[in-house]
Amino acid sequence: MTGRRILVINPNSSASVTAAIDEAVAPLRMSSGPEIEVVGLAEGPPSISSQRDSDSVVMPLVGRVTRDDADAFVLACFSDPGLHAVREAAGTRPVLGIAECGIFRALMLGERFGIIALSPSSIRRQQRMARVMGVDGRYAGSWSVGASAAETASADIRGRLIEAGRALVTQCRADVVVMGCAGMASHRAAIADAIGVPVVEPAQQAVAVAIGAVLLNT
C-alpha cells in the first residue's frame, strides 16, 4: 500500500447499493495502490431518483468530505450530487463524479452514448447534464427501467436492464451504453454480452481516474 486512501461515497443510504459499489471497484484494489474505502451516507435517501433527492445530500456530502483526510473522493451517484460544492470543500484533493467520468469514458469508446436510467425524472437530469457538459450532440438518449437504486442491485432486474440497453442501441442508435446508477454495477458484463456494444460502469471509471490522480499527484 502507498499509505494513501480514496474514499468512495454512496450518497444514498442503501446498504445493498454500497455493497454493489464495493464489489465493482474490488478489481482496482492493488497491493501497490491506494486503499479504496467505500461508504454509504446515513443522512441520504434510500434512492436518489429526483432532483430534490440529489440536492438533499449536497451539504451532508460537503460535511463528510470536510471531516475526512482521504487523498481523493469519488461521489458514487450518477447525479453527481454536489460535485462542485464538494470540490470546493476538498481543496486541492481530487473529487470525481461517476457520471462525469462515465460519460467521458463512453466518448472514447464510440460516437454516440446512451444511458440506462432509473426513472423518467432521472432522464430529465441526464438530459440537462449532457447539455451542461457540452456533449449533447453525442448523447443518443436515456431509457428508464422504472426502479429504485436498491432494486438495481438485485438479480431480478437484470432482464429489464438488458432490455433498456438493447433499446438504446436499436431505437436510439447508441454504440456505447453507460449504466446510470452505481447499484447496477454487477450487471455490466451480462448487459454487454447481451447487447453487443461496450457498457461503461461509471463507478469503476471514476475510481480508476482517482487512482491515477493520487499516484501522479495531479
Side-chain angles (χ1 to χ4, degrees):
M1 289 287 183
T2 63
R4 297 181 178 181
R5 181 170 60 93
I6 295 168
L7 183 66
V8 182
I9 307 173
N10 167 25
N12 71 46
S13 56
S14 169
S16 61
V17 173
T18 302
I21 297 166
D22 190 64
E23 182 179 353
V25 303
L28 298 169
R29 292 186 169 105
M30 301 168 286
S31 59
S32 59
E35 177 188 356
I36 301 170
E37 181 183 4
V38 181
V39 299
L41 190 70
E43 306 97 312
S47 178
I48 295 179
S49 301
S50 67
Q51 189 63 50
R52 184 168 58 183
D53 291 335
S54 180
D55 291 346
S56 74
V57 300
V58 175
M59 294 315 296
L61 285 170
V62 167
R64 183 69 173 82
V65 167
T66 302
R67 297 189 302 270
D68 201 284
D69 63 356
D71 297 280
F73 302 91
V74 172
L75 305 183
C77 169
F78 203 77
S79 297
D80 283 354
L83 180 59
H84 301 293
V86 175
R87 282 175 173 163
E88 286 184 356
T92 59
R93 295 175 294 170
V95 178
L96 289 307
I98 68 170
E100 194 172 72
C101 290
I103 288 171
F104 284 145
R105 177 58 178 155
L107 296 177
M108 301 175 197
L109 296 173
E111 186 61 27
R112 288 168 55 83
F113 70 94
I115 302 172
I116 300 177
L118 285 180
S119 65
S121 62
S122 299
I123 293 176
R124 288 191 290 273
R125 293 199 309 283
Q126 290 160 12
Q127 290 170 337
R128 288 196 297 269
M129 182 178 295
R131 185 177 67 253
V132 170
M133 291 177 65
V135 298
D136 45 325
R138 295 175 64 181
Y139 169 57
S142 298
W143 203 276
S144 169
V145 294
S148 68
E151 288 174 315
T152 65
S154 165
D156 297 338
I157 202 171
R158 181 166 292 177
R160 286 156 63 189
L161 296 173
I162 289 171
E163 289 175 6
R166 187 173 288 125
L168 287 167
V169 173
T170 59
Q171 299 188 44
C172 301
R173 298 185 296 112
D175 48 18
V176 184
V177 168
V178 182
M179 304 171 79
C181 175
M184 300 176 184
S186 64
H187 307 290
R188 190 200 65 80
I191 298 170
D193 288 345
I195 68 177
V197 303
V199 176
V200 174
E201 199 296 296
Q204 293 174 335
Q205 300 301 322
V207 171
V209 174
I211 291 170
V214 168
L215 294 180
L216 298 172
N217 293 313
T218 57

